[in-house]
């Protein structure tokens, strides 16, 4: 009978001579981003990275990664994003119901180190939306209908401009601020109601029946000035109620303040 023996000889391997296949190497990955944004990586929060604006890790070649960015401050929205200087703004996702936005970047790790630079621009539309809501509550209301036609047109244009800015994902903060400021001005103008000149015209008719020779020159001059002011206002196609009321008061005071010339006959 034959017996087989296996003799084991120690084999020395010098690690310094061993070449790890490229596929198994981990490669450095860095994502720098502006601190007006925060990121999750492969579904996990990156707390430290969100404090510093830099995410550092390593992946093996062929590994996929997903970076999801959102504005750091609640109420802010992304309006622009650059990745290594290239515009990716068309990939910003907006949620119309919550008025929130996000940006997702997906990649595959190569054999070389990767460094990405994300630059975000954020805007705040909260005030704009509040002013729009107020304006929509006034549109077609009593105050709106009492306003002169020119004011109504100004209001309508301002409201539409504000809605356009609100719906424009690329609107700048300056555009947004101008939109809500302009609409706020238009809301204020709604208080400029169109004036009813009927009573002013009647009072002017009475003044026209009087004769200069019956009154002192100073009181007559005051009446003439008030009449000229009233007549000029009546030439306006859209006189404001406040101006009509003021003209009426001035003319009334001038009429009641007339001083008759003493009768010496």
């Amino acid at each position: 009978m034959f017996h087989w023996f296996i003799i084991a000889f120690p084999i020395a391997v010098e690690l310094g001579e061993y070449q790890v296949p490229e596929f198994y190497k981990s490669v450095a990955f860095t994502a720098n981003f502006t601190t007006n944004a925060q990121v999750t990586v492969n579904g996990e929060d990156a707390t430290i990275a969100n404090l510093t604006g830099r995410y550092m890790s390593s992946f093996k070649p062929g590994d996929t990664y997903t970076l999801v960015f959102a504005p750091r401050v609640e109420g802010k929205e992304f309006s622009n994003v650059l990745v290594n200087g290239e515009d990716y703004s068309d990939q910003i996702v907006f949620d119309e119901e919550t008025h929130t936005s996000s940006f997702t970047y997906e990649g595959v790790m190569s054999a070389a180190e990767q460094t990405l630079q994300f630059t975000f621009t954020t805007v705040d539309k909260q005030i704009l939306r509040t002013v729009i809501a107020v304006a929509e509550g006034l549109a077609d209301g009593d105050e709106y209908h009492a306003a002169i036609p020119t004011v109504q047109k100004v209001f309508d244009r301002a409201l539409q401009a504000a809605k356009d800015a609100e719906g424009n994902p690329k609107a700048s903060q300056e555009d947004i601020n101008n939109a809500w400021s302009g609409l706020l001005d238009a809301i204020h103008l709604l208080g400029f109601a169109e004036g009813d000149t009927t009573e002013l015209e009647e009072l002017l008719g009475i003044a026209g029946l009087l004769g200069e020779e019956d009154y002192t020159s100073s009181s007559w001059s005051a009446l003439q000035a008030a009449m000229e002011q009233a007549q000029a206002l009546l030439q306006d196609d859209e006189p404001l109620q406040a101006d009509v009321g003021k003209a009426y008061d001035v003319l009334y005071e001038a009429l009641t303040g007339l001083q008759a010339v003493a009768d010496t006959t």
Side-chain angles (χ1 to χ4, degrees):
M1 177 180 293
F2 293 96
H3 296 277
W4 296 91
F5 295 94
I6 299 176
I7 301 175
F9 295 95
I11 300 175
V13 177
E14 293 184 13
L15 295 178
E17 297 177 359
Y18 177 72
Q19 299 296 318
V20 178
E22 293 293 326
F23 182 80
Y24 292 103
K25 284 185 177 180
S26 290
V27 184
F29 174 83
T30 303
N32 298 311
F33 54 96
T34 49
T35 54
N36 55 355
Q38 55 188 0
V39 67
T40 60
V41 182
N42 295 335
E44 297 183 0
D45 290 333
T47 305
I48 296 177
N50 288 328
L51 294 174
T52 63
R54 172 173 293 181
Y55 174 81
M56 301 180 68
S57 186
S58 60
F59 298 110
K60 293 178 181 179
D63 284 353
T64 60
Y65 56 84
T66 301
L67 310 177
V68 179
F69 294 91
R72 177 184 293 274
V73 178
E74 185 178 356
K76 298 270 190 176
E77 301 173 21
F78 290 142
S79 64
N80 182 268
V81 57
L82 301 177
V83 181
N84 289 348
E86 184 177 350
D87 193 349
Y88 275 67
S89 301
D90 59 347
Q91 295 184 29
I92 297 172
V93 176
F94 293 89
D95 187 319
E96 297 296 335
E97 292 186 3
T98 61
H99 300 304
T100 57
S101 61
S102 63
F103 172 76
T104 300
Y105 186 89
E106 297 177 326
V108 179
M109 194 66 192
S110 64
E113 294 183 358
Q114 286 188 19
T115 299
L116 299 174
Q117 177 66 52
F118 297 88
T119 304
F120 294 93
T121 301
T122 59
V123 296
D124 189 337
K125 294 183 178 179
Q126 295 182 96
I127 296 177
L128 175 63
R129 293 191 179 104
T130 299
V131 178
I132 288 176
V134 172
E136 287 180 331
L138 294 172
D140 206 35
D142 293 341
E143 193 172 11
Y144 175 87
H145 288 294
I148 60 177
T150 297
V151 167
Q152 291 177 352
K153 292 177 182 178
V154 169
F155 178 87
D156 292 341
R157 286 195 297 267
L159 178 55
Q160 186 57 55
K163 289 180 176 180
D164 290 344
E166 195 278 331
N168 180 7
K170 294 186 178 181
S172 68
Q173 192 63 60
E174 182 179 5
D175 292 336
I176 293 167
N177 292 347
N178 288 340
W180 69 253
S181 177
L183 182 53
L184 206 58
D185 289 342
I187 291 174
H188 173 68
L189 289 176
L190 285 182
F192 293 172
E194 185 170 9
D196 183 350
T197 61
T198 302
E199 293 183 358
L200 179 61
E201 291 176 24
E202 292 175 350
L203 193 63
L204 193 59
I206 294 172
L209 298 175
L210 303 176
E212 180 179 3
E213 65 279 1
D214 296 326
Y215 303 95
T216 62
S217 59
S218 59
S219 63
W220 183 258
S221 295
L223 177 63
Q224 293 306 299
M227 290 178 66
E228 290 175 3
Q229 178 182 342
Q231 290 166 343
L233 184 62
L234 293 176
Q235 299 301 312
D236 191 337
D237 293 332
E238 297 177 340
L240 299 179
Q241 184 59 52
D243 292 337
V244 172
K246 181 179 179 180
Y248 182 93
D249 291 341
V250 171
L251 182 56
Y252 179 82
E253 290 179 5
L255 270 172
T256 56
L258 283 173
Q259 297 177 357
V261 176
D263 187 358
T264 58
T265 59

